[in-house]
Amino acid sequence: MGYKCRIPCVKPLMTNRKRQKCLTWAKEKKNWTVAQWSKVLFSDESKFCISFGNEGPRVWRKSGEAHNPSCLREEGHIHLSNPHLAKMKEDILYHFDLGTNTHDFPALFGDVKFVCVGGSPWRMKAFAQYITGELKLGNPEEEIANICAGTDRYAMYKVGPVLAISHGMGIPSISIMLHELIKLLYHSKCTDVTVIRIGTSGGIGIDPGSVVITSQSVNPCFKPEFEQIVLGKTVIRSTQLNNELAQELAQCSKEINEFNTVIGSTMCTLDFYEGQARLDGAICSYTEEEKMQYLKAAYEAGIRNIEMESSVFAAMCNVSGLRAAVVCVTLLNRLDGDQISSSHDVLVEYQQRPQKLVGYFIKNRMSQNLNKTESIQIWCLCTRTELENHIASAIWGKINGVIQKYNSSCKKTSPHTDTLA
Ligand SMILES: O=P(O)(O)O[C@H]1O[C@H](CO)[C@@H](O)[C@H]1O
Ligand SMILES: O=c1cc[nH]c(=O)[nH]1
């Protein structure tokens, strides 16, 4: 039939309102002089792609349809890969107890920029309270309302631009939550959203308490794929995660400097016991040697931890154009045993590590965004020469910042410029 699966072109999608605005803008400037235009800098030729690589949403299109609006994707926007949704008069997110006819999604969630998900409702509530304190958005001791109080399936808390949601245990549970979350973000018209799973896992060859930032989620055969049966046919989706985001999180951990953090592959299994090569389940069909051989091979393949949700999480975020990361603490080293035997207090402290790291990352990102808004305001108001000066001073500001950081990390007191040479 001539359809091919392609990465959609990224363009600002032109609604009638946007078309009208462009026309009004052009009419207003119809008689501008050369002197007036010389104060304007056009930068539409530069494209800095920081969010997507080869992964991401795809569209089915015929040749010549690349610029057809239905085949485009707007940068930073949520991509819904389901043509049927547009025909629905109402969308009920049953497991969240929210609906598009009963709730004003853009008003409730339109400002969401970060979504943090984790297994237990208790842990996500604790995270929401922690982030309240970190972002200075209220009293972290105060009770916080569960948006999904009408259902006992998932718990959801909102703190400023951060949404914290529990997803339960395993692929089926997180997958239902993600379907509804992605639709929630879409209906709310959210843009530039980062989604992070903060969780626990079993480590392979690293000390308990280490944090693993997932580069890719792999299946029990060590392949970076998520396989699902749809209408009786096998659909395979990529489970690669965003490398830049992983690096940024690793940098945050360096700055916190409180616990060991590594970037590595994460194995995602369907089960905690046999699926993760444990010897202590109710059923076990292999020997201890076979178990050790398997875990050592996993380590050799670059796998540093095992958990139960990352594959479908990565696959669904990829398809929907969402920047995503998985940050899990390891509760034990599986090369040393199977039972989680650390004390309650130690486990609670371990579980706080991904929260601390992601809290720091969000705080950093938000302060960067504030700086960006300030510079955009300055840039819009200035002439070309002023703009050049601003850029120059911004670059020098950055360089000075780096030098100061370098100086303080070297414990040198007098300024020096050797990094500039
Ligand atoms: O990250 P959390 O929610 O702790 O989840 C991890 O712990 C559960 C097993 O105890 C699995 O769901 C696994 O992925
Ligand atoms: O070993 C572990 C620990 C936490 N979660 C898992 O899935 N496995």
Side-chain angles (χ1 to χ4, degrees), residues 118-120 123 167-170 197-200 272 307-309 328:
S120 95
R123 211 189 302 147
H167 57 61
M169 279 198 278
R197 167 167 143 68
I198 44 179
T200 65
F272 185 82
E307 49 76 90
M308 294 172 56
E309 291 84 16
C328 287

Side-chain angles (χ1 to χ4, degrees), residues 200-203 269 272 276 278 306-308 331-332 334 340:
T200 65
S201 60
T269 64
F272 185 82
Q276 296 189 6
R278 278 187 155 84
I306 317 178
E307 49 76 90
M308 294 172 56
L331 303 181
L332 74 168
R334 288 297 316 286
I340 300 172

Side-chain angles (χ1 to χ4, degrees), residues 362-373:
I362 292 176
K363 229 165 73 173
N364 246 2
R365 267 295 181 87
M366 286 181 61
S367 68
Q368 279 170 19
N369 283 348
L370 275 183
N371 289 343
K372 251 192 226 162
T373 315

Side-chain angles (χ1 to χ4, degrees), residues 396-412:
W396 277 107
K398 270 245 150 33
I399 293 171
N400 282 336
V402 172
I403 293 171
Q404 273 161 21
K405 249 192 198 167
Y406 174 77
N407 283 342
S408 57
S409 68
C410 297
K411 307 243 176 322
K412 287 183 185 169

